[in-house]
Amino acid sequence: MAEADAPVVLSANTLHVTIGARILIDDQDLLLRAGEHVGLIGRNGAGKSTLLRILAGEEHFFSGAIDIRKDLRCKYLSQSIELDDHATIRENILDGARETRELIRQYESLPHDAKAHRADELERTITARDGWTLETRLTELATALAVPPLDRLAGTLSGGEKRRVALAKTLIDQPEILLLDEPTNHLDTQTIEWLEDYLAKSPATCLFITHDRYFLDRVCTRIVELQAAKLYAYPGNYSEYLRQRAIRDEVAALQENRRLAFIRRELDWIRRGPKARGTKSWSRIQRFNDAVNAAPPPVERDVELLLPPPARFGDIIARLTDVSLSRGGHQLFSHLSLNFSPGMRLGVLGRNGLGKTSLLKLLLGELQPDSGEVRIGDRTEMNYIDQHRVALHDDRTVVEEIGEGNDYVMFGNRRVAVWTYLKRFLFQDEEITTPVGQLSGGERNRLLLAKILKNGGNFLLLDEPTNDLDLATLRILEESLMDFPGCLAVVSHDRYFLNRVCTDILAFEGNGQLTFQHGDYQYYLEKRQEPPASSVPAGENVGTANRPEPAPSVGAEKKRLTWKEQRELESMEETILAAEAQVADLEAKFTDPEFHAKYGRQTAELTAQLDAAKAEVERLYARWTELEDKRPQK
């Protein structure tokens, strides 16, 4: 963590920002010290991206003073990607080090007889910027960020690919100050983990906006929250912020209760119309007026994300049997067997381009497998939230997009007024008549959720649903999905989301390899770190791993059994049988076709019990071998 006395590298003093009649930032100060890694959080529309643009010099409609140390380089990653579509990826990335490359060009173009003094000066500057390793860094960044081939034109890239190129362009010159707006968007889990390591080790001062809670925990040395036009700073990472925010809310609630109690106590006296003739009476009246006029603590409304009750399933929900799929001559996966049961919430993860979205399209019937069978139950009602938001029409207003010509929406079996429904998703009166094309990314995502979720369905297919959602809305979405009694298949790189919501994980590992694992994301990680012998192919049931043979005792004289050890050895076989029976009982629950309906909410607990039971069996076998080695040979 940066020291409190580290030099200030960026400051904003009495910053005031308004948009129309709305105040986004109300005379606030912000200091960034050398080496700090600061996470900027807040509700969608609070003004986080506007603040970052102001600090980067991209926005000038504000009052106050912004100061950045002149000897430091500052780079900004915007949500809206700007690349030269007619230049190659290589040229776009190297453009991020334009000044350093110009210094190198000057150095190399100096005439031999004029190199002495100027060459030394240029060489020192280039070396300080580590400019001689630009090509090496280009290769490292392109590999780590899974950038497409460097000779491709930027105009041929998808939005996610452009995002990766823009991030590489921002990082390549190793600036002293980084301002990053949603740097993890469109990155897969592996790349996000690399970025976490990179920034955590970087000496650069970083201010970034992200809704990735694991990222905030691993990288941040301080959290700054923008709430109700005020900036609140919390030392530490996101977990520490949650603790301190809870304390702040408790204190604010206590102070508000005291204010209201004081008003109630003084109200009768004030009603009697005391004259402010004496100093005490005047002060008492003034304290009452101050208490009445004091604003209560800001209350942030949450999205009321209610899912329509799903219809009952038939005997089959969705079943994939020995399915293989290729696209454009490239094998995405093969021999995948997967059977969905009630309450199953499948998390699908892996690098971009490996076939995760294609799997959802197989379930939707938009793609057909090369081989194998995809069977969808007669009573299964699919509802799809797609990654690219193509379901929204920019030329319609928000109310037109949801109402579709009606002034109500059907929510299950009842009618709900469109305006009432939209207010559940935090759309205010003036926003409800706003064209969709003018909405922010977070507002578009909330609108998409509102539009798709009203259609109901008992099988939800979500492709990157957490992109652009603020932390509070993410929490509400997670809780709604955890209580959803239907089925869910979700493609996401949000590890925190996967850990909270999912009962099973299907991981696309690359080269057509899939791994299926019961349990949440954390349990999948633990199993992935085990030796290959214990891994489970996709679609197969989790079984007992091969038990390792105990190593014989060598080089030591055998000790004799004590009386207590003799009794222990005599009962060991019975004890092991009982322990193995417990493992078998737990495994039978996991292989039960109705597992998720019966035990869906106990998945993590049962998984822990199974691991503990297996460990106990292994311990007993090891102990049995130890005792047998000490038994006298007949």
Side-chain angles (χ1 to χ4, degrees):
M1 182 179 295
E3 297 292 336
D5 57 353
V8 174
V9 297
L10 184 153
S11 65
N13 299 306
T14 59
L15 188 63
H16 192 87
V17 183
T18 60
I19 294 182
R22 184 184 173 202
I23 300 175
L24 289 183
I25 304 173
D26 189 12
D27 296 331
Q28 297 296 290
D29 297 334
L30 176 66
L31 297 179
L32 296 182
R33 297 185 179 275
E36 277 195 303
H37 297 156
V38 181
L40 178 60
I41 65 174
R43 289 294 183 94
N44 286 335
K48 303 186 301 297
S49 293
T50 301
L51 175 57
L52 223 59
R53 288 197 299 271
I54 288 171
L55 297 178
E58 302 283 328
E59 190 80 63
H60 303 285
F61 297 100
F62 67 91
S63 62
I66 306 293
D67 183 46
I68 299 178
R69 271 180 45 180
K70 292 182 180 179
D71 57 329
L72 302 183
R73 289 163 295 153
C74 179
K75 296 290 184 179
Y76 168 56
L77 176 69
S78 170
Q79 281 198 55
S80 56
I81 303 304
E82 295 182 2
L83 298 176
D84 183 351
D85 288 345
H86 302 291
T88 64
I89 292 175
R90 173 190 177 84
E91 291 167 339
N92 271 285
I93 295 176
L94 288 176
D95 189 55
R98 187 186 311 166
E99 294 178 3
T100 301
R101 294 176 69 207
E102 174 59 22
L103 293 174
I104 294 173
R105 189 198 63 77
Q106 291 179 24
Y107 177 83
E108 292 176 342
S109 62
L110 282 175
H112 292 288
D113 57 352
K115 270 194 173 184
H117 175 69
R118 178 60 177 157
D120 289 344
E121 181 183 345
L122 286 170
E123 187 173 12
R124 282 194 302 271
T125 304
I126 295 169
T127 301
R129 294 182 172 213
D130 200 15
W132 305 115
T133 63
L134 273 179
E135 290 293 334
T136 301
R137 288 207 301 279
L138 172 64
T139 302
E140 291 174 349
L141 287 170
T143 301
L145 295 173
V147 167
L150 296 176
D151 58 353
R152 274 184 62 181
L153 290 177
T156 66
L157 303 180
S158 67
E161 290 169 334
K162 286 186 175 182
R163 187 80 181 165
R164 293 166 180 270
V165 172
L167 183 55
K169 177 181 176 180
T170 305
L171 299 178
I172 190 167
D173 205 27
Q174 297 179 324
E176 290 84 4
I177 302 174
L178 285 168
L179 305 175
L180 307 177
D181 196 346
E182 295 290 358
T184 63
N185 269 8
H186 304 292
L187 299 185
D188 54 67
T189 304
Q190 184 176 344
T191 308
I192 292 173
E193 290 173 350
W194 173 86
L195 183 60
E196 287 173 347
D197 290 335
Y198 179 91
L199 292 178
K201 296 173 184 176
S202 172
T205 301
C206 304
L207 176 64
F208 47 81
I209 300 169
T210 182
H211 301 134
D212 189 316
R213 289 153 287 186
Y214 277 5
F215 189 94
L216 289 167
D217 251 351
R218 288 198 61 197
V219 179
C220 284
T221 60
R222 184 159 61 105
I223 298 289
V224 172
E225 182 179 21
L226 178 55
Q227 181 194 20
K230 305 291 184 184
L231 292 172
Y232 300 91
Y234 302 87
N237 62 7
Y238 180 70
S239 296
E240 182 62 17
Y241 151 77
L242 290 177
R243 187 186 70 82
Q244 295 179 63
R245 171 65 192 267
I247 293 173
R248 191 190 108 197
D249 289 345
E250 289 176 6
V251 171
L254 181 61
Q255 291 174 342
E256 177 64 3
N257 289 337
R258 287 175 177 171
R259 182 180 76 90
L260 296 176
F262 172 77
I263 291 172
R264 286 193 297 269
R265 286 197 310 269
E266 294 292 277
L267 194 55
D268 286 341
W269 181 75
I270 289 293
R271 283 172 175 169
R272 291 197 295 268
K275 304 298 182 182
R277 292 173 180 171
T279 302
K280 289 185 178 179
S281 295
W282 183 89
S283 297
R284 188 172 176 180
I285 294 171
Q286 188 62 40
R287 286 198 304 273
F288 177 82
N289 290 334
D290 289 344
V292 170
N293 294 327
V299 177
E300 292 185 327
R301 292 179 56 236
D302 284 328
V303 170
E304 297 178 38
L305 209 164
L306 303 176
L307 301 179
R312 292 176 61 86
F313 288 114
D315 293 335
I316 294 176
I317 298 174
R319 181 181 296 164
L320 282 71
T321 305
D322 201 30
V323 168
S324 298
L325 181 67
S326 60
R327 298 295 300 276
H330 175 64
Q331 186 78 42
L332 296 178
F333 51 84
S334 58
H335 306 296
L336 171 63
S337 295
L338 195 61
N339 185 29
F340 287 88
S341 55
M344 183 174 179
R345 300 191 296 272
L346 179 69
V348 184
L349 59 92
R351 275 191 176 275
N352 294 328
L354 295 182
K356 304 185 300 298
T357 299
S358 296
L359 173 63
L360 299 190
K361 290 183 177 181
L362 276 176
L363 291 169
L364 286 168
E366 295 180 6
L367 291 178
Q368 297 301 315
D370 299 336
S371 61
E373 180 187 27
V374 178
R375 187 176 176 188
I376 307 299
D378 294 337
R379 300 180 66 178
T380 300
E381 301 172 2
M382 297 283 186
N383 198 346
Y384 180 46
I385 297 180
D386 88 301
Q387 182 179 18
H388 301 293
R389 316 294 184 249
V390 296
L392 295 180
H393 302 83
D394 288 349
D395 56 336
R396 294 180 182 175
T397 64
V398 171
V399 68
E400 290 170 343
E401 189 70 13
I402 293 298
E404 298 177 331
N406 299 310
D407 58 0
Y408 64 89
V409 298
M410 293 302 300
F411 193 80
N413 295 322
R414 60 191 178 92
R415 291 185 178 187
V416 177
V418 172
W419 287 58
T420 301
Y421 181 71
L422 282 169
K423 286 186 176 182
R424 289 180 175 177
F425 288 83
L426 302 185
F427 287 99
Q428 302 306 312
D429 290 347
E430 65 276 9
E431 297 170 327
I432 288 175
T433 56
T434 300
V436 172
Q438 296 180 16
L439 299 179
S440 68
E443 290 168 336
R444 289 177 68 89
N445 210 345
R446 270 193 280 126
L447 180 61
L448 189 74
L449 286 173
K451 181 175 181 179
I452 300 297
L453 294 181
K454 72 181 176 68
N455 296 329
N458 52 18
F459 197 137
L460 302 181
L461 301 173
L462 312 180
D463 198 351
E464 295 292 356
T466 65
N467 278 354
D468 300 316
L469 291 182
D470 57 48
L471 296 174
T473 306
L474 273 176
R475 174 177 56 81
I476 300 298
L477 175 62
E478 288 164 353
E479 292 171 356
S480 297
L481 293 176
M482 289 163 65
D483 291 335
F484 182 61
C487 271
L488 170 69
V490 54
V491 174
S492 180
H493 300 310
D494 189 323
R495 297 154 292 172
Y496 199 101
F497 178 90
L498 292 170
N499 218 35
R500 287 200 72 195
V501 171
C502 295
T503 60
D504 301 272
I505 296 294
L506 180 64
F508 284 66
E509 308 282 5
N511 298 319
Q513 298 298 312
L514 300 180
T515 298
F516 177 83
Q517 180 63 57
H518 288 302
D520 57 20
Y521 175 75
Q522 188 61 40
Y523 186 66
Y524 155 74
L525 284 183
E526 293 171 4
K527 301 300 287 186
R528 188 176 67 171
Q529 293 167 1
E530 291 184 358
S534 65
S535 63
V536 182
E540 294 188 5
N541 291 326
V542 179
T544 306
N546 294 330
R547 185 179 297 113
E549 292 294 332
S553 176
V554 180
E557 184 178 339
K558 288 184 179 180
K559 297 181 180 179
R560 297 181 63 84
L561 289 168
T562 64
W563 180 86
K564 185 176 181 181
E565 288 173 334
Q566 182 65 40
R567 302 284 79 75
E568 183 183 1
L569 179 59
E570 290 173 358
S571 63
M572 185 61 73
E573 187 172 357
E574 182 180 346
T575 304
I576 289 176
L577 287 173
E580 289 183 327
Q582 184 180 3
V583 170
D585 288 343
L586 289 167
E587 288 180 337
K589 290 181 179 179
F590 278 103
T591 56
D592 185 346
E594 300 297 320
F595 172 82
H596 294 287
K598 296 178 180 178
Y599 311 108
R601 293 180 177 274
Q602 300 173 261
T603 301
E605 178 185 348
L606 290 174
T607 298
Q609 290 178 13
L610 179 59
D611 286 345
K614 288 180 178 180
E616 177 63 10
V617 170
E618 292 186 7
R619 186 193 70 78
L620 289 172
Y621 269 100
R623 177 61 173 163
W624 192 10
T625 302
E626 180 185 348
L627 295 175
E628 282 288 351
D629 284 345
K630 293 170 71 173
R631 184 204 290 268
Q633 299 295 321
K634 294 182 179 179

